[in-house]
Amino acid sequence: MSIKRILTLSIAILLLHQISGLNTQALAAGKEKPAKNIILLIGDGMGTSQVYAGMTANGGTLNLERFRIAGFSKTYSTEYVTDSGAGGTALATGHKTKNGSIAVDPQGQPVKTILEWAEENGKATGMATTCAMTHATPASFIAHQAKRSDYELIAADFLKTDIEVFIGGGYDHFGKRKDGVDLIEQLRKKGYRIAQTIDEIKEIKSGPVAGLLYPVHPPKWSEGRGDLLTESVIEAIRLLSADSDGFFLMVEGSQIDWAGHDNNAQQIAEEMIDFDRAVGAALDFAEKDGQTLVIVTADHETGGLSLLDGDFETGELKGSFSTGDHSGVMVPVFSYGPQAALFGGIQENTDIFEKMMKAFGFKKDQ
Ligand code: MG
Ligand code: ZN
């Protein structure tokens, strides 16, 4: 046998070996039990630079490093650069759509969200955010509107679902509306306890709970938001995990994006660390529970941030921004728990919806 032939053969054997290895892995992922619970945490505007900014300011490490499986998501919408409406819609429904859309397809038709699928399948559902509940990201999981700025229409869509817990801002879109309709009263009639502080939520033994803690948005972390997001995650998990059928919880670190729009690297780092603490709380629960899939990703990157210098001791950062808007780069995906292997590698943002459906074991033709 010539050297060349031996080489070709060994490469072929090596490749075969790799492919069969991948198959075994895929098979293992397929055979794994479905996830009882899914916690999806979205860092709005969180690219890899934002993650590293948080790491730098946090002394060189983050809870995100506890994940063993990572991948990337391709964030484009019907445009090369997505907004948070289309980005949220892709993750929530598996449809790429026009920017500004809230869980409707490019023709404006409503498309079912993973939160709605979870409700239909008997699971409890919840959302916790650092923005108004009616803002694009949470809205994409529960409302169906052609325009993300129709906050009052989005708020009304909350009443069409049976979401068990939501904690964030946006009280005014429910209770101080231009159209005079009192959705707070309607929520009460549906059985919701209305809370305006996190301490009130801590006193509530069981859901459903509408936590509308600010008129519109909660403040920036640097302006006194404190541990609100982490506490919201802990309370949401406490309330949702009472359901023996399992739950779906969406958590958003909303203001990483806003700091990106402001081209403020220090603020990105602060919001990133705050989001990472919430990720830590979700992982703590998942590690104990053993039946919870945790996914962390972003809808897009914001600011076109690159890091030119930094100091792990002082947490100082020198960031350079290429835009005041979103960029088109891929964003990270981290996963932990049952079915986590599905989320490794490079994927479409819409695949994350499909994979959550698969992880839950939901069938689309039911
Ligand atoms: Mg958002
Ligand atoms: Zn943005």
Side-chain angles (χ1 to χ4, degrees), residues 124-165:
T125 62
M127 295 202 277
T129 71
T130 51
C131 64
M133 290 314 307
T134 46
H135 207 248
T137 311
S140 302
F141 283 80
I142 200 163
H144 302 279
Q145 296 294 339
K147 270 174 64 193
R148 59 179 283 178
S149 55
D150 281 336
Y151 297 120
E152 294 194 354
L153 294 176
I154 289 166
D157 280 353
F158 274 69
L159 276 296
K160 296 173 188 159
T161 74
D162 290 312
I163 183 170
E164 274 75 9
V165 186

Side-chain angles (χ1 to χ4, degrees), residues 49-50 53-59 220-222 255-256 258-260 262-274 305-307 309-311 313-321:
S49 296
Q50 282 74 7
M55 238 174 235
T56 306
N58 199 43
K220 295 181 175 94
W221 181 84
S222 60
Q255 301 197 26
I256 302 166
W258 305 353
D262 288 344
N263 284 6
N264 186 330
Q266 196 55 47
Q267 220 169 78
I268 286 174
E270 290 163 2
E271 293 292 339
M272 188 62 226
I273 293 169
D274 179 61
L305 172 62
S306 57
L307 300 172
D309 203 359
D311 188 321
E313 310 258 293
T314 63
E316 273 168 300
L317 277 166
K318 190 177 167 210
S320 171
F321 295 87

Side-chain angles (χ1 to χ4, degrees), residues 67-127:
F67 289 91
R68 298 270 68 88
I69 299 169
F72 286 100
S73 159
K74 294 151 80 172
T75 63
Y76 67 92
S77 59
T78 55
E79 292 177 46
Y80 189 78
V81 175
T82 189
D83 83 314
S84 294
T89 298
L91 297 168
T93 75
H95 291 262
K96 302 248 185 197
T97 192
K98 288 187 207 160
N99 289 355
S101 306
I102 300 297
V104 296
D105 68 14
Q107 285 72 47
Q109 292 306 308
V111 276
K112 206 192 286 181
T113 73
I114 187 71
L115 188 146
E116 291 168 320
W117 278 105
E119 282 290 336
E120 270 184 26
N121 281 272
K123 297 199 183 276
T125 62
M127 295 202 277

